[in-house]
Each structure stands twice: as C-alpha cells, then as structure tokens.
Amino acid sequence: MKIKLVADSSANLFSMDGMDFASVPMRVRAGEKEYIDDQQLDIPLMLKELAAYNGKSGSACPGTGEWMDAFGDADAVFGVAITSGLSGCYNAGATAGEQYETEHPGRRVFILDSLSTGPEMELILEKYKELADADQSFDEMKNHIQEYCKHTHLLFSLESLDNFAKNGRVSVATAKIAGLLGIRIVGRASDEGTLEPLHKCRGEHSALKKILSCMKESGYCGGKVRLSHTYNPEAAEALKNMITEEYPDADISIRENHGLCCYYAEVGGVLVGFEG
C-alpha cells in the first residue's frame, strides 16, 4: 500500500523524513496583498507589512483542487487540517478525498479535523508515520489516529492580539489594552476547535509557568511536547527547560512557526502541542 501524508501549512512542516509528504498552502490576505504559506514565503517581510497595515486581514484556505494535487497517486492518503473552527480547510480536504476516491476506485482518503493547529498537528503527523511504519491497515490507522487525538492538546502564549483584532476575532480595544499593559494571553484549543483564552499573565516568565501548570491539568506526565515560536527561541527554550526539570525524559523539540501560525501567533508567540 502506497501511503501519503498530507497537511495544510499551519502544521509548520514541508517534509517528513522517511515519508511521502505534501504541504497544502494556506494564505494570508491583507487588502489586495496575498501571502502564500509555502517554503518561498518571506516571513519577515510579511510580518513587517502586516504590522504597517491598518485594514482588515485574514486567512484563506486551499481549494479542493490543491488538496487533490497533494494526494498524488497514493493508494492511501492520510491528512490533517487546521481546526474547522477557524477555517474551511478541513471541508475542502474532505471534499477532495471523496472526489479522489470516486475517480480512483479502490484508493482511500482520510482527512482529520485537528480541532487545533501548529504543533498539535505535528504530533498527529508523527503518529501517522509511526502507524504506517508498523504496517497497519487503512482502517487500523484511521481508528488509532482518532483515538490518539483525544489525548493531544494545544496551549499558546501570545504577546500581541493585533492580527486577531484585524481578523475580527477580538475587539480592537482588547488588543490595544493587552499591548499597553504588557499582558500575555495564555489559552488553548478548545474541544470544539476554537482558540480559547484562559489566563492573562504579566510578563513572559509568568505565562510560561502558567502553560506548564495548564499542561499538568490536562494530564501531561512526561510524554511528547512539540514547541513552535515566532521569533522567540528564548521563551521556547525556557519552557523546554521548565518541563525537563520535572520530566527529564520528556521528548521535546522546537521549531519556528511558518506563515499562517506567524500570522495568528505574531512575533513573540509560543505554541505548545503535547500528549496528555
């Protein structure tokens, strides 16, 4: 069985060692300007231009055709999409899967609504690869991944809410107050797939301590942790050190956010995907 893994670009991945993998690009739009979230995206320029732009901005998902192209000629396609609570990406991927199966009888596609983004999607993709390497059947992989994602979580710490305000997801007044007071918002991806603020913390150290506390409340006891950040490696390393002080054998890795996650998390933002 020829297997391919596919994810939209909010997973912050463009390749996977030992796996046939494709990233389907999300887009960020500000007025007439569109930023395609692929490997060629100039992220510093995008962030600079977005900071200077005062109008409404937002994200756009890849179409059905782009998902179809990503499937290639695989016998079995397993994918994961950014939460349907923020984007129509999952619906486009699922529709593409139905069309692919119709056009290629005998081939199968499963697209998972992550109800999340970023590093939690990375965990799901790693689990897909683990299951594929174990030579599981299509149905076994599908069932195992659905069970696995019940035990993964996403937390975040945001320094700025400007793009959430420009996207209409928080009020402009709330974003300005948070910026002026130096408040960092700690939140999570809810069970419904929305981004839910949980705590307002003064200062980064306080926010990182709160994240670790929230991880424990969600059942973390030393499993995998995937951290991603937007130009804030110091905070990611500090959180990694906090975790390893209590869980020395924890499997932790750090990567930089790419376009879509940079747009929402903004400079200074930290995303935490972990196993509960």
Side-chain angles (χ1 to χ4, degrees):
M1 180 171 65
K2 183 177 181 181
I3 295 176
K4 186 163 189 179
L5 302 187
V6 180
D8 67 71
S9 58
S10 70
N12 294 318
L13 290 172
F14 295 98
S15 64
M16 292 186 70
D17 289 342
M19 203 75 217
D20 189 7
F21 175 79
S23 173
V24 189
M26 299 284 288
R27 289 164 173 78
V28 174
R29 291 174 177 166
E32 299 299 316
K33 190 68 178 286
E34 179 177 80
Y35 306 90
I36 300 174
D37 189 11
D38 58 18
Q39 288 181 286
Q40 285 69 53
L41 177 62
D42 187 333
I43 294 174
L45 178 62
M46 179 190 80
L47 293 174
K48 179 181 178 180
E49 292 180 348
L50 286 173
Y53 179 70
N54 293 319
K56 185 176 180 179
S57 62
S59 59
C61 68
T64 300
E66 290 175 281
W67 279 99
M68 287 279 287
D69 290 343
F71 297 163
D73 62 350
D75 299 313
V77 177
F78 292 91
V80 60
I82 187 174
T83 172
S84 57
L86 284 179
S87 169
C89 192
Y90 165 72
N91 290 333
T95 299
E98 293 172 2
Q99 184 176 337
Y100 187 81
E101 289 180 341
T102 299
E103 294 180 5
H104 305 282
R107 298 182 185 180
R108 302 183 69 183
V109 179
F110 173 67
I111 307 296
L112 178 75
D113 181 355
S114 70
L115 299 177
S116 188
T117 191
E120 187 173 356
M121 292 172 65
E122 182 179 353
L123 286 172
I124 291 167
L125 287 164
E126 289 179 4
K127 178 58 70 171
Y128 271 140
K129 183 180 185 303
E130 178 185 318
L131 298 171
D133 289 344
D135 291 325
Q136 293 200 353
S137 70
F138 183 93
D139 288 328
E140 287 174 329
M141 287 183 64
K142 177 181 175 180
N143 292 336
H144 277 128
I145 207 70
Q146 288 176 312
E147 182 62 29
Y148 176 72
C149 69
K150 294 177 183 177
H151 307 284
T152 59
H153 309 273
L154 178 77
L155 292 167
F156 56 83
S157 170
L158 304 182
E159 184 176 307
S160 171
L161 298 176
D162 287 350
N163 286 337
F164 274 103
K166 291 176 181 178
N167 194 241
R169 299 189 182 276
V170 301
S171 70
V172 174
T174 297
K176 285 185 177 180
I177 290 172
L180 288 171
L181 297 180
I183 292 173
R184 294 188 69 94
I185 303 298
V186 171
R188 69 179 183 118
S190 72
D191 293 340
E192 294 75 34
T194 59
L195 298 184
E196 177 185 358
L198 296 174
H199 305 283
K200 297 176 182 178
C201 302
R202 288 189 178 274
E204 190 163 75
H205 182 70
S206 175
L208 298 180
K209 288 177 63 178
K210 182 59 69 175
I211 284 178
L212 182 54
S213 174
C214 290
M215 289 174 67
K216 294 176 183 177
E217 290 172 7
S218 296
Y220 181 73
C221 54
K224 282 185 177 182
V225 181
R226 297 294 176 259
L227 305 174
S228 66
H229 65 88
T230 306
Y231 297 111
N232 196 356
E234 298 83 6
E237 286 289 346
L239 180 56
K240 178 180 178 179
N241 291 337
M242 287 182 184
I243 296 169
T244 53
E245 280 181 11
E246 297 194 39
Y247 305 97
D249 296 325
D251 177 355
I252 306 174
S253 65
I254 299 173
R255 71 173 64 249
E256 294 181 352
N257 286 322
H258 213 264
L260 197 283
C261 285
C262 281
Y263 169 69
Y264 279 115
E266 298 192 57
V267 174
V270 177
L271 306 179
V272 186
F274 63 98
E275 296 176 335

